Amino acid sequence: VQLVESGGGLVQAGGSLKLSCSSTEISLEDYTVGWFRQAPEGKKREGMACISKKDSGTFYHDPVKGRFLYYADSVKGRFSISHDNAKNTVYLEVDNVKPEDAGVYYCAEGEARSWCTDYAMDSWGKGTLVTVSS
């Protein structure tokens, strides 16, 4: 499955950014879709946020979005994941960008009850680079 990310680039600390993940092969709403970040210097890739129609037991239900969501503790309150059915696109919005948000952001998909971990994902995009200037 091909996933295509967009929206990365240079962003100033304190600013905001919006990443997009789309697919022409699958309906993203039928899967768990997540954003994973690999920080510079070869650090481990981490799940930042995931969205799904089904609960894996580690997500919480957002009644406004009508989805189960997961956020890493380090990004709660600043990251927001959402899904646009009409565009078959999953977005990741980041407010108050911090230097530690820099890295390559990957979109990935897994079965609908997957945990937000990289080993649970089946397909990956090529990634989009986010650079933060202070």
Side-chain angles (χ1 to χ4, degrees), residues 45-109:
R45 187 164 56 189
E46 300 181 81
M48 298 288 102
C50 286
I51 186 169
S52 179
K53 286 174 61 175
K54 297 184 179 181
D55 183 19
S56 69
T58 59
F59 292 23
Y60 75 92
H61 187 254
D62 184 318
V64 174
K65 296 180 180 179
R67 295 286 189 273
F68 292 90
L69 308 180
Y70 167 91
Y71 294 104
D73 288 342
S74 60
V75 304
K76 286 179 180 176
R78 295 193 303 114
F79 283 37
S80 177
I81 189 169
S82 61
H83 178 241
D84 185 328
N85 283 353
K87 297 182 179 180
N88 198 30
T89 299
V90 172
Y91 300 101
L92 181 69
E93 297 180 77
V94 182
D95 293 327
N96 187 23
V97 173
K98 299 181 178 182
E100 55 263 39
D101 294 331
V104 179
Y105 284 74
Y106 297 89
C107 175
E109 63 85 14

Side-chain angles (χ1 to χ4, degrees), residues 1-2 10 13 18 29 31 39 44 59 71 75-76 81 111 116 118-119 129 131:
V1 174
Q2 185 178 26
L10 179 64
K18 186 174 183 178
E29 67 171 338
Y31 298 85
K44 182 181 178 181
F59 292 23
Y71 294 104
V75 304
K76 286 179 180 176
I81 189 169
E111 294 299 318
C116 197
D118 57 359
Y119 58 78
L129 177 65
T131 304

